[in-house]
Amino acid sequence: MARRGETLELAVLGLLHESPMHGYELRKQVNGVLGWSRLLSYGSLYPALKKMLRAGWIAEHVAAPEPGAGGRRQRIVYELTPAGDAEFQRLMADVGPSAWEDDTFDVRFAFFSRTDMEARLRILEGRRSRLQERLERVQRQLERTQRQVDRYATELQRHGVESVEREVRWLSELINAERGDGRPTGPGAASGSQDVQHQ
Amino acid sequence: MARRGETLELAVLGLLHESPMHGYELRKQVNGVLGWSRLLSYGSLYPALKKMLRAGWIAEHVAAPEPGAGGRRQRIVYELTPAGDAEFQRLMADVGPSAWEDDTFDVRFAFFSRTDMEARLRILEGRRSRLQERLERVQRQLERTQRQVDRYATELQRHGVESVEREVRWLSELINAERGDGRPTGPGAASGSQDVQHQ
DNA sequence: GTTAGCATGTAAGGAGTTACATGATTTT
DNA sequence: AAAATCATGTAACTCCTTACATGCTAAC
């Protein structure tokens, strides 16, 4: 049951899973690697780190201010504890609807290497049908409300629909690639764009 | 100075500008017309309406429960006051950076018919350079951090970049259309990207 | 000597969600 | 009789941002 707030938590856990890091660096990674549009603020990150420390998922240790490049002050390096690793596994094991919601999906996807193919497929397919539902809902509304007098409102909607359709295609390619990788000469999934995307 | 919270306000003002509506209907319009992914909740909308009532921007009147289709209870219909119309104009007149932020841009765009071409161009161009900055930042990061061991993280970033590039192209087309509509055979703006960037 | 980037934090507040509370009317 | 849809609202809570507070080192 991954609530909304567990997204940042998962991101931190996943990044520390790769290597220990201090807060400032962690923030840049969260922004960069996870392609978040709005830069995560320190007012968000540091309290989250404190909370995770208290929960015993991460451990801190003060690193010497190595005189390399840039003005280095004493940094606090965080690393994953065994409990933190367990928590990461627990969160990643959730393949229910919450795993394919808008805010969480990207983070899950970024750490897909740490899940098995079955979980990946379930999440990708869940995400896809979620988007398809959205598409149907919007298109139904487009027909229902005939008030298409306004070109800008119409154009906005058209662009929105196209964006979602594009993402559905992307997901379909990923799903095919997953299945293709599973069975090298798969007979069912071999229609054209089999593994186009997978890298 | 359109702060984050003024987005819902602007949406309501804009929709009531077209015609009076009650809350339930307003919510559907906000969700549908403005293509919002997450459905706006009543816990958000009704307090906002109360606030706008107190501010004098909208007026309420109880409508008789006309026995048409659907279970109709007594509805509260809201309509724009002259003060509300003024506020709408004031908000729409803001062509500064806040007008092209992620959460606000869509709403502004939906009501573009109520602005002049100059304001439209300024906002479209502002939005475009904002996205281009984002693109550069991500691409710089992609080069800097060589840790591209993970195919999923890489794929996520690739898709993200492509999405933003696609939106930049969309904005460019809209900008061209605006200029084309303004001066049917415009001689000045015809040199490719003459004033593309100018913020 | 001042600006820019590195680095860590706290306090206050904003914007929205979820869950709760209520109740009418129409369709199945 | 139950379920679905219409319709309005409140209270508690969550997550996040902004602004503030501090101070180091490197480059200009």
Side-chain angles (χ1 to χ4, degrees):
Chain A
M1 47 164 76
R3 279 154 34 259
R4 191 66 137 270
E6 284 172 357
T7 302
L8 175 54
E9 213 165 80
L10 181 61
V12 169
L13 253 20
L15 285 170
L16 291 183
H17 191 96
E18 288 172 22
S19 75
M21 252 178 269
H22 60 279
Y24 194 86
E25 177 68 18
L26 214 34
R27 180 188 178 236
K28 282 196 295 189
Q29 293 287 327
V30 168
N31 291 326
V33 175
L34 304 179
W36 282 354
S37 46
R38 34 161 64 76
L39 263 59
L40 180 74
S41 68
Y42 298 121
S44 230
L45 177 62
Y46 286 115
L49 286 172
K50 296 279 169 188
K51 193 191 151 200
M52 293 170 75
L53 256 180
R54 281 197 304 274
W57 297 332
I58 58 177
E60 64 180 357
H61 78 97
V62 177
E66 48 159 303
R72 303 258 147 137
R73 152 186 170 177
Q74 193 173 269
R75 290 155 299 152
I76 298 175
V77 174
Y78 297 94
E79 62 183 323
L80 217 56
T81 62
D85 188 63
E87 174 69 5
F88 179 67
Q89 299 304 331
R90 193 186 69 77
L91 288 172
M92 286 301 281
D94 177 9
V95 291
S98 55
W100 53 73
E101 261 162 28
D102 284 334
D103 0 68
T104 320
F105 174 77
D106 280 11
V107 183
R108 305 264 167 180
F109 186 87
F111 300 128
F112 253 18
S113 300
R114 255 79 106 210
T115 340
D116 51 307
M117 193 189 79
E118 228 176 291
R120 290 197 290 258
L121 274 172
R122 218 191 284 253
I123 291 174
L124 288 171
E125 280 165 357
R127 174 80 183 156
R128 184 173 59 177
S129 44
R130 159 70 56 100
L131 290 180
Q132 279 167 338
E133 279 163 34
R134 184 129 90 213
L135 221 44
E136 276 169 44
R137 192 160 45 76
V138 172
Q139 270 155 353
R140 239 182 299 122
Q141 183 120 18
L142 260 168
E143 287 158 24
R144 214 162 54 75
T145 55
Q146 224 65 353
R147 41 187 282 325
Q148 297 311 338
V149 199
D150 195 295
R151 40 189 288 218
Y152 291 105
T154 307
E155 175 59 24
L156 182 63
Q157 250 159 354
R158 198 198 56 72
H159 181 247
V161 165
E162 224 174 66
S163 294
V164 178
E165 282 173 344
R166 204 179 138 268
E167 195 164 348
V168 167
R169 281 197 299 276
W170 180 64
L171 289 166
S172 293
E173 281 163 27
L174 289 168
I175 288 166
N176 284 341
E178 287 289 341
R179 287 210 252 262
D181 285 358
R183 286 166 288 152
T185 15
S191 56
S193 57
Q194 184 206 18
D195 55 357
V196 163
Q197 206 59 252
H198 87 289
Q199 195 292 70
Chain B
M1 44 162 78
R3 279 152 35 259
R4 192 62 139 274
E6 284 171 359
T7 302
L8 175 54
E9 213 165 80
L10 181 61
V12 169
L13 253 20
L15 286 170
L16 292 183
H17 191 96
E18 288 172 22
S19 76
M21 252 178 270
H22 59 278
Y24 194 87
E25 178 68 20
L26 214 34
R27 180 189 178 235
K28 282 196 296 188
Q29 294 287 328
V30 168
N31 290 325
V33 176
L34 305 180
W36 283 356
S37 46
R38 32 163 65 77
L39 262 59
L40 180 73
S41 68
Y42 298 121
S44 229
L45 176 62
Y46 285 116
L49 286 172
K50 296 278 170 189
K51 193 189 151 202
M52 291 170 76
L53 255 179
R54 281 197 303 276
W57 298 332
I58 58 178
E60 66 180 353
H61 79 99
V62 177
E66 47 158 302
R72 303 256 147 137
R73 149 187 173 178
Q74 196 174 267
R75 291 154 300 155
I76 298 174
V77 175
Y78 297 93
E79 61 183 324
L80 217 58
T81 61
D85 188 64
E87 175 68 7
F88 179 68
Q89 300 304 331
R90 193 186 70 77
L91 288 172
M92 287 299 283
D94 177 9
V95 292
S98 56
W100 53 74
E101 259 161 31
D102 283 333
D103 359 69
T104 321
F105 174 75
D106 281 11
V107 183
R108 305 265 166 180
F109 186 86
F111 299 127
F112 254 18
S113 300
R114 256 78 108 211
T115 339
D116 53 307
M117 193 190 79
E118 227 177 291
R120 289 197 291 258
L121 274 173
R122 219 192 283 251
I123 292 174
L124 288 171
E125 282 166 358
R127 174 77 183 157
R128 183 172 61 176
S129 44
R130 158 71 55 102
L131 290 180
Q132 280 169 336
E133 278 163 33
R134 184 129 91 213
L135 221 45
E136 275 169 45
R137 192 160 45 77
V138 173
Q139 271 155 353
R140 239 181 299 123
Q141 183 120 17
L142 260 166
E143 288 158 23
R144 213 162 54 77
T145 54
Q146 224 67 351
R147 41 186 285 321
Q148 296 312 336
V149 197
D150 195 293
R151 36 189 291 214
Y152 291 105
T154 307
E155 175 58 24
L156 183 64
Q157 249 157 355
R158 199 199 55 73
H159 181 247
V161 166
E162 223 176 66
S163 295
V164 178
E165 283 172 343
R166 206 181 137 267
E167 195 164 346
V168 167
R169 282 196 298 275
W170 180 64
L171 288 166
S172 293
E173 280 163 28
L174 289 168
I175 289 166
N176 284 341
E178 287 289 341
R179 288 210 252 260
D181 285 358
R183 285 166 288 155
T185 17
S191 59
S193 59
Q194 177 209 23
D195 50 358
V196 163
Q197 202 62 254
H198 88 290
Q199 105 83 339

